Amino acid sequence: MITKPLFIIALLFTLGSIVHAQQVRPTDRPFDGKSHVDYLTAWSKTPDAGAAALLDCAQIAIAADKTQNWDSALMAEIRKALAANPLALARLDAFTQLLGGDTAGAAALFATRQNEPGTREATTVIRWLRGFDYPLAADAVEALTRDLTKARLIAWLRIPKEKRGPIDENMLQRYLPSSMNRRALVEIALNLYAAPPPDCGLSAIDFLEFAVWFGKDTGLLTLSPADDLASRRQFQPAILYAQRLAAVYPTDYRLQRVICRFFTECGDRPSAITRYQQLLAADHEPYVREVRLDYLERLRTGFLKPENVTLAGMQQDANPLCAGDALLVEKKYPEAAAQYRKVFQDARAPLPRRLSAWTGLLDNEPAWALEQADALFTALDAAQALPDRAALVVWTGWQLARITEREIPLAYGVREATRLEYIPVPTVEGWTARLSALMDRVVAMDPVACLKTGNVDQPSLRYSAALIHALTGNMKQADAVAKQEVTYMAPPPPGGWFTFPGTPDKDADKPRQQKSPVPGEREQLMAKLTPAVGRFFEAAVKEPTAKIPHSPPNLELIFSLASRVNVVEIPHQRTANIQEFARQFMLAIEYLDPKQRNLSLKNPPPPPREVDFLQVASLRTAINVAFKPDGAAKEAVPFVKEGLQEAMLIASNPRLLSELCGITLLVIDRYGEALQDTKLAEGLAHNVAKWLAIREVYDMRPYVTRLREHYTPPDAE
């Protein structure tokens, strides 16, 4: 037990050690406890003055500034001593410049990675600068430190804009748009915009303006932050962010359309009306058409009520495209077609306006529009001088995709609002073949623009082109589009090419040759395409037990994957190939025998659908090819679990289930043979049986029993 006197003695020793530690740490007592004049005098007489470190330079600069260089001869002596150390002299000049109010001094301190202050040195310098009443200098140094903290960003933004230039330039050069640190700073700014800290001397607007400026080319400026704010019922900050975002990307009409809708969802109808009208006034055909239709739809429902604007008045607009769209939203198809034809048949009308009129005719007079497409496409193909010809070609392809994809039933459980004011293109006889031929013409005009790998904001037309071919039943052509290679010279991204995010690569600012599709793109496309085509044909055959026509769209890919299973160039590649093989196989089975929905334990299952077993035989052949080598057979578990097991939980045709059970046992046998371990194969078969046993409605007992007894016959127990 510690007595009170002993405790006091221990406390005194502790305090003494703390005081001693403070005395021997010069960073806590700048100038070694001397006055500024005494410090400078002592420093000038130091034999190794030329070995001045960064902290020494900071102290000299502060002392000189506080004494207003009272002895110019003394400072000249110090500078002469530092002349042997150019780095120290440069640091002294940088600190002197910084203390004089020029933030270029801070930028000079952090000009190179190898000579910039370390975290501990920078922290000490910042403490001194604040302690000696140099807030601007302290903020400038803190802004350039490496720590990704809120305090660093706040220090940066506290610097007056007229003095922030050197800091901004340094940060832009240091953090390329691809840099993870730049993205982190933008995310910090967006978080601070949502919840600005009190007493930081900055407003939420300051953080928003910084995030928009610094994040412009990073890909972070999307509507997601506004959605997050709105979900927390912070509607005003959400609306303000959306307004700034709209100003950053004024010609991105996909984004502008979403922003306008966002305003209405937040209840800010005046902002929605203002933005809609600004976009329509720009008259940027044909891209503005979808925005205009949204606006007119909201006028029709009365959701938006702009002053002195009515739908009836818009139907009399001097612009036939605007009048036609206003008539279309009220399903006045003949009148709308007449307005669109005024522009389409005007030989003097600019091609973009004729394209906009043509897409309007696709909505209300599809047969005539498809008849006129050849002449229009010839004009587009010949318009090589148009500055945005590539964008117009891609936009035209999207119109073909739009009228096609709206005929694909939505996936189970998906809800999506679509505009209903149009005449469906299936009313035109042979529409799939016609659209397929037109899409071929679009792609041929500019294969690179249409097929190069896209992103979320600007997706490639590759999927849509393959989809249209698949709907005609030409699965080989669909796959040919999916894997068609295009080579092109891509301009450098903002900030240049990089080896990894933020680190410039060789020749970072020069165009580079790129190829599409990139690895994995064909597989992802088919994973989306196969179910979509299956839903289309399932709805088209109408009879619930009728056979789904044509082969699965991904059959060619499945055979390609089967041959690639054993091509191993990097570790774990074989496993990844097998997993992709399993996914595509499962999708093919679901195409042939779509999963039954809305089943009930109280009722027997519906009659099974007929299945094309020639296609099943082809799939079996691909599996035999894939797992013939022992190397692939040893890693067959992912295919069994993610391909065969999942397929048996989807299929409902008894013969197909029996066939799948046989294939499962075939693959498990190969697995056991390759590993020379029957027990592992038996365990895998029992595991699959366990999962099949829990499937409801359908009687899975024959297949469960077959799997369980394959390695352990009943009479052997």
Side-chain angles (χ1 to χ4, degrees):
M1 181 178 179
I2 300 176
T3 63
K4 187 173 182 181
L6 288 175
F7 172 76
I8 294 173
I9 292 171
L11 181 60
L12 289 173
F13 270 109
T14 304
L15 292 173
S17 64
I18 292 173
V19 170
H20 176 72
Q22 290 177 338
Q23 287 175 344
V24 299
R25 289 178 60 194
T27 57
D28 287 334
R29 292 189 65 197
F31 313 113
D32 298 328
K34 302 181 179 69
S35 70
H36 297 132
V37 173
D38 290 344
Y39 178 83
L40 290 174
T41 303
W43 184 263
S44 67
K45 298 177 181 179
T46 302
D48 59 345
L54 181 133
L55 294 180
D56 298 323
C57 296
Q59 291 178 99
I60 294 170
I62 293 173
D65 187 72
K66 288 297 183 182
T67 59
Q68 294 299 308
N69 294 320
W70 67 277
D71 188 339
S72 56
L74 178 62
M75 285 306 301
E77 215 175 301
I78 292 175
R79 292 184 64 83
K80 183 178 179 181
L82 293 178
N85 185 349
L87 176 60
L89 192 58
R91 283 172 166 173
L92 177 59
D93 290 339
F95 275 118
T96 303
Q97 186 180 15
L98 178 60
L99 298 183
D102 187 349
T103 56
L109 289 172
F110 289 84
T112 60
R113 182 68 181 263
Q114 61 269 29
N115 293 328
E116 70 178 33
T119 301
R120 182 174 295 180
E121 289 178 316
T123 302
T124 301
V125 169
I126 292 166
R127 187 172 68 249
W128 289 351
L129 292 173
R130 295 202 190 283
F132 288 100
D133 198 25
Y134 295 102
L136 173 64
D139 284 341
V141 173
E142 187 167 2
L144 292 170
T145 57
R146 294 277 170 182
D147 295 336
L148 298 173
T149 62
K150 294 180 182 178
R152 177 189 180 187
L153 182 59
I154 290 171
W156 184 0
L157 297 184
R158 272 202 302 251
I159 301 171
K161 288 184 178 180
E162 63 272 13
K163 293 182 176 290
R164 203 184 295 167
I167 306 297
D168 292 349
E169 184 178 350
N170 181 289
M171 296 293 269
L172 289 171
Q173 291 176 355
R174 184 191 300 186
Y175 297 135
L176 300 179
S178 59
S179 165
M180 299 302 292
N181 289 346
R182 181 163 177 174
R183 295 172 65 89
L185 286 170
V186 174
E187 288 175 348
I188 290 172
L190 290 173
N191 291 334
L192 290 173
Y193 169 63
D199 304 325
C200 70
L202 298 167
S203 68
I205 301 300
D206 293 321
F207 296 113
L208 175 59
E209 289 179 346
F210 171 83
V212 171
W213 167 71
F214 204 52
K216 182 176 180 181
D217 296 319
T218 63
L220 285 176
L221 292 187
T222 66
L223 204 58
S224 295
D227 285 330
D228 292 340
L229 289 167
S231 68
R232 298 196 294 268
R233 304 193 68 76
Q234 294 178 266
F235 294 116
Q236 198 54 43
I239 290 167
L240 185 57
Y241 173 85
Q243 288 172 338
R244 297 298 174 89
L245 184 63
V248 172
Y249 302 108
T251 59
D252 185 344
Y253 284 92
R254 288 190 178 201
L255 177 62
Q256 296 291 339
R257 182 182 176 196
V258 175
I259 289 173
C260 290
R261 290 180 175 182
F262 178 77
F263 288 146
T264 61
E265 290 166 2
C266 289
D268 187 2
R269 299 185 185 186
S271 289
I273 291 171
T274 300
R275 193 62 196 153
Y276 272 127
Q277 292 180 343
Q278 287 172 344
L279 293 168
L280 297 187
D283 194 28
H284 193 191
E285 299 290 353
Y287 313 108
V288 76
R289 182 171 185 262
E290 287 298 319
V291 176
R292 183 166 57 228
L293 285 170
D294 270 11
Y295 177 59
L296 294 168
E297 183 68 29
R298 281 157 175 72
L299 289 184
R300 184 185 67 82
T301 59
F303 193 79
L304 293 181
K305 297 179 180 178
E307 190 175 351
N308 301 323
V309 178
T310 64
L311 186 60
M314 298 286 280
Q315 291 173 352
Q316 304 299 320
D317 196 274
N319 180 356
L321 296 176
C322 182
D325 288 341
L327 291 162
L328 177 66
V329 297
E330 285 199 323
K331 297 187 177 182
K332 298 179 179 179
Y333 299 129
E335 297 92 329
Q339 293 292 333
Y340 293 134
R341 287 197 186 206
K342 288 181 184 178
V343 177
F344 184 79
Q345 295 177 325
D346 182 358
R348 296 170 298 175
L351 184 58
R353 288 182 60 81
R354 295 189 65 215
L355 284 168
S356 188
W358 176 73
T359 195
L361 290 165
L362 282 176
D363 284 331
N364 66 73
E365 203 173 10
W368 192 82
L370 293 179
E371 287 177 8
Q372 303 301 313
D374 284 325
L376 181 65
F377 283 19
T378 299
L380 179 59
D381 196 13
Q384 301 289 334
L386 278 177
D388 62 340
R389 178 180 174 277
L392 286 173
V393 169
V394 173
W395 182 88
T396 304
W398 280 119
Q399 304 317 302
L400 299 176
R402 177 178 62 85
I403 64 173
T404 301
E405 292 180 24
R406 66 190 181 193
E407 303 303 329
I408 307 291
L410 294 175
Y412 183 77
V414 174
R415 299 290 182 268
E416 183 178 307
T418 56
R419 191 177 291 111
L420 302 177
E421 297 83 9
Y422 63 88
I423 295 176
V425 70
T427 57
V428 181
E429 187 176 353
W431 66 278
T432 55
R434 183 68 180 131
L435 289 180
S436 176
L438 291 176
M439 183 60 88
D440 277 343
R441 287 199 63 183
V442 169
V443 172
M445 287 184 211
D446 197 331
V448 169
C450 294
L451 301 181
K452 68 180 179 181
T453 304
N455 52 41
V456 174
D457 297 322
Q458 295 178 322
S460 168
L461 262 179
R462 190 182 293 272
Y463 166 79
S464 298
L467 174 67
I468 291 176
H469 287 303
L471 297 188
T472 67
N474 192 345
M475 303 304 179
K476 287 187 179 294
Q477 183 62 23
D479 186 67
V481 171
K483 64 184 181 184
Q484 180 179 341
E485 285 192 1
V486 292
T487 304
Y488 55 98
M489 297 302 293
W497 304 104
F498 52 87
T499 51
F500 58 89
T503 303
D505 202 353
K506 183 180 178 182
D507 296 328
D509 58 346
K510 295 181 180 179
R512 286 191 177 178
Q513 189 179 80
Q514 300 284 320
K515 280 188 176 183
S516 290
V518 298
E521 186 176 353
R522 178 188 177 195
E523 289 80 354
Q524 291 295 331
L525 184 151
M526 282 299 174
K528 179 182 177 183
L529 178 73
T530 303
V533 176
R535 294 194 303 272
F536 175 81
F537 285 128
E538 184 182 359
V541 296
K542 296 181 181 178
E543 184 63 39
T545 60
K547 185 188 300 183
I548 301 296
H550 311 296
S551 61
N554 61 347
L555 188 60
E556 294 284 333
L557 174 60
I558 287 173
F559 274 94
S560 175
L561 289 168
S563 63
R564 276 174 24 207
V565 161
N566 292 283
V567 178
V568 180
E569 298 174 358
I570 58 175
H572 311 298
Q573 185 174 355
R574 177 181 282 133
T575 301
N577 288 344
I578 290 175
Q579 288 176 318
E580 185 59 40
F581 186 39
R583 177 171 71 151
Q584 297 295 337
F585 173 83
M586 183 270 294
L587 291 172
I589 293 298
E590 188 172 15
Y591 174 91
L592 294 169
D593 189 5
K595 187 174 184 178
Q596 300 284 356
R597 307 289 181 181
N598 302 318
L599 301 176
S600 172
L601 291 172
K602 297 180 181 180
N603 301 314
R609 182 181 294 278
E610 292 183 39
V611 173
D612 186 348
F613 283 95
L614 288 176
Q615 307 301 332
V616 179
S618 296
L619 294 173
R620 183 171 187 139
T621 300
I623 292 170
N624 289 335
V625 170
F627 295 106
K628 185 176 180 180
D630 285 349
K634 288 178 182 178
E635 299 187 36
V637 174
F639 184 79
V640 172
K641 297 294 294 177
E642 300 171 26
L644 290 162
Q645 178 181 294
E646 290 301 312
M648 292 189 73
L649 292 173
I650 290 172
S652 57
N653 183 290
R655 182 183 166 190
L656 177 58
L657 284 167
S658 179
E659 184 74 16
L660 290 172
C661 186
I663 296 173
T664 302
L665 289 172
L666 172 71
V667 176
I668 293 176
D669 283 345
R670 283 292 300 126
Y671 172 67
E673 289 171 8
L675 292 174
Q676 297 181 353
D677 191 334
T678 308
K679 285 295 182 183
L680 283 176
E682 181 180 359
L684 181 56
H686 279 258
N687 184 270
V688 174
K690 180 186 73 174
W691 283 98
L692 296 184
I694 64 176
R695 185 179 182 187
E696 298 176 333
V697 179
Y698 291 96
D699 183 10
M700 303 298 288
R701 286 175 296 179
Y703 320 111
V704 171
T705 302
R706 187 174 168 187
L707 286 164
R708 286 175 176 167
E709 295 181 355
H710 183 71
Y711 291 98
T712 311
D715 54 357
E717 295 180 351

